[in-house]
């Protein structure tokens, strides 16, 4: 990893040096002129940028990538080696020292499933859990204000049910109640998995998580890699392609966690207790709560909390889950607005810390992507409208081919449907613009201090979702 960062930085420096050493810039040509709608003069240039400009752009991009990766590596190394129990009580060096020579028994996993009117999917979720080898030590459905058949179906499946009392804080509040009841009796190796009610585990998830937690007692959490369920035509395929690319990015990061997904993640009791103890001190939130009930995206917030405390986490490739996709554009809008708004609010709550640096960079990258993609599409539209005849621009055609190749390669594991959609390019660019508009809406709402809602999306039953 270190060599890769140094190599990337070296390549970037060489590219930038070659661009600068190429001599004085050549005098550019005057752009062509077109008239739009008979009143608006626009200028365009059919020539590609000078090679030295392209080389400089590549050099700067490589240097920026190396800088971000290098800083992240430095922060990770510092957290691993920290001996500051006051600021990083979950740092691996401290945990290893405290647990050396002490056997806490074999790793077991108790599963908590927060559920609010999930009768359409709870049976399938429980079936995937009961089929795991080894099976969970306990399965507890945390029923929060359910008015449908969720509780009945859970009991018929033979699992425990914890019904919340006077909970006003949705999923986070329900989990806090259940964890307050569960954690005091858990030993160091009696781990807790939080799993969404609309998710099914792939075979081998619990075995993989158990093996990881057994082999490394400094490991505080294991996150799942999620894929989209089948069905729902084009909108479903857009989301599956998006999830496939996300998993690819995680594999390239060798499992280093970006977000411990709420779909399914396993935690050591030590980690959850430390978070609860630091609420109101090192971490935002109410003292004694594991989950911050103010956060719209509780999984993202808990990940940042654990990183702040120095926890070691991983999302291994053997721990995969299948989760729901939004069946409609309105549902997708509500889901993604909550995700985006929640991520921004979490960053605001934590501010700029070493542990949040990469998250801030991600938000800046999204903002840059919004501007770049909108400008790209707008320029294409202007060119089409401004010119009287079709003009082939080799440079932009080349850029389009690079985009297309990148789209196809990054969803290759998703199968022929995923590749075909990626090959068509413009539908996916339209989907990207949809997500960009959601991002802008989230920023706009946050700027105006509008109250955010935690909307529960009611899903059709399993047969209707998948068409089986």
């Amino acid at each position: 990893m270190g060599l890769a960062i140094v190599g990337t930085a070296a390549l970037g420096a060489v590219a930038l040096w070659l661009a600068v050493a190429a001599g004085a810039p050549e005098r550019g040509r005057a752009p062509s002129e077109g008239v739009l709608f008979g009143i608006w003069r626009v200028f365009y240039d059919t020539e590609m940028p000078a090679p030295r400009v392209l080389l400089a752009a590549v050099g700067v991009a490589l240097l920026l990538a190396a800088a971000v990766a290098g800083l992240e590596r430095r922060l990770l190394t510092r957290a691993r080696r920290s001996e500051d129990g006051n600021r990083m009580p979950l740092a691996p060096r401290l945990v290893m020292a405290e647990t050396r020579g002490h056997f806490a028994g074999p790793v077991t996993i108790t599963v908590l499933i927060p559920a609010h009117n999930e009768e359409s999917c709870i049976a399938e979720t429980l079936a995937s859990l009961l089929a795991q080898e080894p099976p969970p030590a306990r399965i507890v459905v945390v029923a929060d204000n359910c008015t449908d058949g969720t509780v009945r179906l859970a009991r018929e499946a033979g699992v425990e049910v914890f019904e919340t009392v006077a909970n006003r804080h949705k999923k986070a509040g329900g989990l806090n109640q259940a964890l307050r009841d569960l954690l005091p009796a858990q030993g160091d190796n009696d781990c807790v998995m939080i799993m969404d009610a609309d998710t099914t585990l792939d075979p081998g998830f619990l075995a993989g998580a158990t093996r990881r937690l057994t082999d490394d007692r400094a490991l505080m959490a294991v996150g799942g890699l999620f894929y989209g369920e089948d069905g729902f035509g084009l909108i479903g395929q857009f989301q599956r392609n998006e999830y496939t690319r996300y998993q690819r990015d995680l594999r390239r990061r060798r499992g280093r966690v970006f977000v411990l997904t709420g779909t399914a993640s396993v935690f050591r009791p030590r980690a959850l207790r430390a978070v609860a103890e630091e609420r109101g001190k090192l971490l935002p939130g109410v003292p004694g709560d594991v989950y911050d009930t103010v956060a719209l995206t509780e999984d993202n917030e808990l990940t940042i909390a654990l990183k702040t405390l120095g926890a070691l986490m991983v999302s291994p490739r053997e721990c995969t889950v299948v989760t729901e996709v939004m069946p409609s554009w309105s549902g997708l809008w509500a889901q993604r607005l909550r995700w985006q708004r929640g991520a921004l609010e979490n960053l605001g709550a934590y501010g700029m810390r070493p542990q949040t640096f990469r998250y801030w960079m991600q938000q800046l990258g999204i903002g840059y992507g919004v501007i770049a993609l909108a400008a790209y599409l707008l320029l294409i539209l202007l060119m089409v409208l401004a010119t009287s005849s079709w003009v082939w621009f080799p440079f932009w055609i080349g850029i389009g081919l690079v985009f297309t190749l990148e789209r196809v390669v990054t969803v290759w594991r998703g199968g022929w449907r995923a590749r075909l959609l990626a090959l068509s390019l413009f539908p996916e660019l339209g989907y990207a613009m949809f997500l960009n508009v959601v991002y802008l809406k989230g920023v706009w709402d946050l700027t105006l201090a509008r109250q955010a809602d935690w909307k529960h999306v009611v899903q059709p039953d399993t047969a209707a979702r998948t068409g089986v």
Side-chain angles (χ1 to χ4, degrees):
M1 182 62 181
L3 288 176
I5 294 173
V6 171
T8 301
L11 281 175
V14 169
L16 200 56
W17 179 80
L18 289 174
V20 173
E26 298 175 2
R27 184 182 179 84
R29 293 192 328 159
S32 302
E33 180 180 341
V35 178
L36 198 59
F37 307 125
I39 54 173
W40 185 12
R41 288 196 307 160
V42 296
F43 297 93
Y44 60 90
D45 190 344
T46 60
E47 298 295 321
M48 65 178 289
R52 59 180 298 165
V53 174
L54 296 177
L55 196 59
V58 171
V60 171
L62 290 174
L63 285 173
L64 284 175
V68 173
L71 186 57
E72 184 186 27
R73 178 181 169 82
R74 178 178 172 79
L75 294 174
L76 183 63
T77 302
R78 192 172 69 172
R80 285 173 183 270
R81 296 174 179 174
S82 174
E83 295 181 343
D84 186 351
N86 293 322
R87 296 184 62 81
M88 290 191 175
L90 298 177
R93 175 172 285 192
L94 285 173
V95 173
M96 293 296 282
E98 291 175 8
T99 58
R100 185 170 294 119
H102 172 68
F103 179 59
V107 170
T108 64
I109 296 179
T110 293
V111 182
L112 297 186
I113 307 173
H116 172 67
N117 291 343
E118 308 285 359
E119 69 174 5
S120 64
C121 53
I122 192 69
E124 188 178 10
T125 301
L126 293 174
S128 78
L129 265 174
L130 293 169
Q132 291 286 307
E133 186 60 43
R138 294 172 63 190
I139 301 174
V140 183
V141 172
V142 182
D144 180 40
N145 298 311
C146 290
T147 56
D148 64 354
T150 301
V151 171
R152 175 180 55 80
L153 290 172
R155 287 186 171 135
E156 287 177 358
V159 305
E160 301 175 45
V161 175
F162 178 94
E163 296 193 63
T164 60
V165 179
N167 174 40
R168 295 181 293 106
H169 300 294
K170 309 294 183 183
K171 178 180 176 180
L175 284 171
N176 281 337
Q177 287 189 13
L179 288 168
R180 210 169 283 129
D181 183 70
L182 176 72
L183 281 179
Q186 300 293 102
D188 281 352
N189 280 348
D190 300 328
C191 300
V192 179
M193 184 165 90
I194 312 295
M195 175 182 177
D196 280 349
D198 52 22
T199 297
T200 56
L201 300 184
D202 285 338
F205 186 107
L206 290 193
T210 301
R211 183 170 57 254
R212 293 274 180 165
L213 290 162
T214 300
D215 292 345
D216 187 352
R217 63 181 192 277
L219 189 61
M220 289 293 109
V222 176
L225 302 177
F226 54 90
Y227 293 87
E229 63 180 340
D230 291 334
F232 296 109
L234 190 59
I235 189 173
Q237 192 61 53
F238 280 136
Q239 293 169 79
R240 284 189 289 279
N241 280 15
E242 182 186 6
Y243 294 164
T244 300
R245 292 192 176 96
Y246 180 69
Q247 308 320 325
R248 186 176 184 272
D249 289 343
L250 278 182
R251 285 196 301 273
R252 290 164 66 86
R253 287 167 55 81
R254 295 192 297 181
R256 290 197 304 280
V257 168
F258 194 74
V259 174
L260 286 168
T261 171
T263 54
S265 292
V266 186
F267 304 89
R268 284 195 194 274
R270 169 191 289 262
L272 299 179
R273 291 191 193 108
V275 170
E277 289 171 5
E278 295 300 335
R279 292 283 182 207
K281 294 183 283 187
L282 292 176
L283 308 174
V286 177
D289 281 354
V290 173
Y291 284 93
D292 183 5
T293 54
V294 175
L296 281 173
T297 47
E298 66 287 332
D299 49 355
N300 175 266
E301 196 281 335
L302 185 59
T303 307
I304 299 176
L306 289 169
K307 284 191 173 184
T308 300
L309 301 181
L312 180 64
M313 301 172 281
V314 67
S315 292
R317 62 178 58 195
E318 63 267 30
C319 293
T320 56
V321 302
V322 179
T323 191
E324 65 176 1
V325 297
M326 290 295 106
S328 66
W329 289 103
S330 60
L332 184 63
W333 173 274
Q335 181 198 55
R336 297 311 172 88
L337 187 58
R338 183 173 69 84
W339 288 4
Q340 187 58 57
R341 177 78 182 267
L344 290 169
E345 289 184 351
N346 290 340
L347 288 180
Y350 279 83
M352 179 61 87
R353 305 184 185 191
Q355 294 82 6
T356 59
F357 172 78
R358 187 175 182 87
Y359 296 92
W360 281 106
M361 291 299 102
Q362 183 204 34
Q363 291 301 320
L364 289 175
I366 294 174
Y368 170 77
V370 171
I371 296 172
L373 181 57
Y376 175 71
L377 296 177
L378 179 62
L379 286 175
I380 290 178
L381 179 63
L382 286 178
M383 291 292 294
V384 169
L385 294 175
T387 55
S388 57
S389 59
W390 183 258
V391 180
W392 293 99
F393 299 95
F395 173 74
W396 291 110
I397 291 174
I399 293 293
L401 290 175
V402 171
F403 273 163
T404 305
L405 182 63
E406 186 270 342
R407 297 276 92 185
V408 174
V409 169
T410 52
V411 297
W412 195 259
R413 285 172 173 261
W416 68 268
R417 288 189 179 89
R419 298 167 202 160
L420 193 62
L421 180 59
L423 190 63
S424 58
L425 184 59
F426 282 96
E428 281 213 324
L429 290 182
Y431 179 71
M433 278 307 298
F434 173 84
L435 298 182
N436 288 344
V437 173
V438 173
Y439 171 82
L440 293 175
K441 179 69 165 55
V443 173
W444 180 254
D445 288 348
L446 199 59
T447 304
L448 298 181
R450 288 178 175 167
Q451 184 67 34
D453 295 326
W454 204 111
K455 294 182 180 178
H456 176 71
V457 179
V458 178
Q459 294 281 1
D461 61 30
T462 302
R465 290 204 316 271
T466 61
V468 176

